[in-house]
Amino acid sequence: MKKQSEITYEKIKSLEIQGAMNVAKSALIALSKDIIAFPDENPEKFLEILSSARPNEPMLRNMLRLFLSESKGLSGEAQLRDLANSILEDIEKGEKKIYSLGAELIHDGMKVFTHCHSSTAVGVLKEAKNQGKKFVVFTTETRPRYQGRITARELNNAGIEVFHMVDSAAKYAIDGADIFIFGADSILPSGYLINKVGTGIFCVVASRYDVPTYCATHTMKIVQDKIDEAVEERDPKEVWADAPPNVKIKNPAFDKVHLKYITAFITEKGLLKDILS
Ligand code: RUB
């Protein structure tokens, strides 16, 4: 029988499950199910499989570590399931705080720019819409895997006016935008954040045009176990499946962005200028 950690590993690796928050939640559910189903096996093994799916997902690692440390002394399916549910409920409470805090930054008539698919940034915009605010959102395709289409679809389904564009057209949206809002995969003690490739150049352009730049993120995305980390390189075939053999393809999944570009972080602990202090 295939273990949940192996099934979830495949889904995360292939981007069937994407976005740091979704990745972390699904990994926690998989870990708890495997610990319940295979009580004689070392849970560290499940954690290692899940953590190896994508290297820039500290929220996954932090949530699984929290589960393992709090599950010490617990036994039986009900206790372990309750623990997993209570961690997920805490995270969801935090997400709601981020949505309502972020929504305060959105006002009538605003032109919002976002990139990729961040459930946290989308949650902020949907909350602003629920509060009756009228604004438009410019979304990018997010090549090579088009996660920006998920954002465009979700915002459109929520009744928000969306303008969708290729990544290289983003200057047209950023010039004149009132706010740039995006999510994060990782916040590094070295003073950088990691988010979808493109975020770095869009932050530079936003700073050139004085566009306030906000990162909507749970603080569980702060890396605890190291100072810095290398950006994930993905399969070159995602960029060009039948490229001529001598053309070398680069496919970094993320950008490392200096924190000086961030106006503030929208977190469950409040609006933070300095998320690392
Ligand atoms: C997704 C991405 C998102 C962050 C934050 O990249 O960069 O902005 O993960 O998402 P990918 P969330 O599609 O490669 O996973 O706010 O949902 O945690």
Side-chain angles (χ1 to χ4, degrees):
M1 187 174 68
K2 232 180 173 186
K3 298 195 167 67
Q4 285 303 315
S5 39
E6 291 159 352
I7 295 168
T8 305
Y9 165 92
E10 291 299 341
K11 289 186 179 172
I12 295 173
K13 183 103 190 140
S14 66
L15 299 191
E16 186 182 330
I17 300 173
Q18 63 74 231
M21 189 59 93
N22 293 331
V23 161
K25 286 178 182 171
S26 62
L28 178 68
I29 293 165
L31 177 78
S32 62
K33 283 188 176 165
D34 278 350
I35 292 177
I36 291 165
F38 305 97
D40 298 330
E41 293 200 27
N42 183 355
E44 289 288 338
K45 198 180 77 187
F46 308 135
L47 186 143
E48 254 170 51
I49 293 171
L50 289 159
S51 307
S52 67
R54 300 198 70 187
N56 303 122
E57 300 301 346
M59 180 154 194
L60 176 157
R61 303 197 296 271
N62 293 338
M63 259 168 81
L64 301 194
R65 283 263 160 250
L66 177 69
F67 181 84
L68 288 191
S69 86
E70 296 205 348
S71 64
K72 287 203 176 87
L74 298 184
S75 61
E77 185 172 344
Q79 283 191 337
L80 290 165
R81 208 185 317 108
D82 286 353
L83 173 61
N85 287 338
S86 99
I87 292 175
L88 288 170
E89 273 165 29
D90 260 13
I91 294 294
E92 274 154 26
K93 266 189 219 150
E95 286 180 281
K96 286 199 179 115
K97 280 193 198 156
I98 296 172
Y99 301 161
S100 58
L101 190 59
E104 289 175 24
L105 300 168
I106 310 294
H107 305 293
D108 280 346
M110 266 193 167
K111 178 180 170 187
V112 178
F113 177 68
T114 191
H115 177 52
C116 192
H117 175 251
S118 155
S119 61
T120 320
V122 167
V124 165
L125 297 171
K126 280 164 70 173
E127 174 59 23
K129 173 72 184 172
N130 287 342
Q131 292 176 5
K133 294 177 181 171
K134 294 184 179 60
F135 54 94
V136 298
V137 183
F138 284 72
T139 59
T140 55
E141 281 186 324
T142 316
R143 281 277 293 144
R145 295 291 299 262
Y146 298 102
Q147 291 95 323
R149 292 181 183 174
I150 308 172
T151 302
R153 220 175 263 124
E154 288 183 0
L155 296 177
N156 179 59
N157 289 344
I160 296 168
E161 192 176 357
V162 176
F163 294 88
H164 192 67
M165 55 201 338
V166 298
D167 299 320
S168 41
K171 185 180 93 70
Y172 292 98
I174 299 171
D175 183 5
D178 297 291
I179 188 168
F180 174 22
I181 176 166
F182 60 90
D185 286 272
S186 192
I187 316 285
L188 298 165
S190 59
Y192 291 82
L193 67 80
I194 289 180
N195 193 55
K196 180 54 55 189
V197 69
T199 307
I201 196 162
F202 299 150
C203 281
V204 172
V205 177
S207 118
R208 164 71 180 73
Y209 290 110
D210 294 324
V211 178
T213 295
Y214 288 88
C215 177
T217 181
H218 199 286
T219 58
M220 267 234 181
K221 291 176 185 170
I222 299 174
V223 174
Q224 309 286 354
D225 44 7
K226 47 192 148 173
I227 300 294
D228 206 14
E229 53 187 27
V231 163
E232 175 187 358
E233 273 281 340
R234 294 188 61 83
D235 187 346
K237 292 201 163 37
E238 289 183 342
V239 175
W240 194 357
D242 56 353
N246 290 333
V247 174
K248 296 177 186 70
I249 306 289
K250 297 289 290 169
N251 189 16
F254 298 113
D255 270 341
K256 243 182 199 177
V257 183
H258 197 281
L259 299 188
K260 73 179 178 192
Y261 287 107
I262 310 305
T263 307
F265 289 86
I266 311 163
T267 77
E268 81 289 357
K269 294 182 176 162
L271 210 56
L272 305 178
K273 175 65 203 146
D274 184 358
I275 195 168
L276 291 172
S277 66

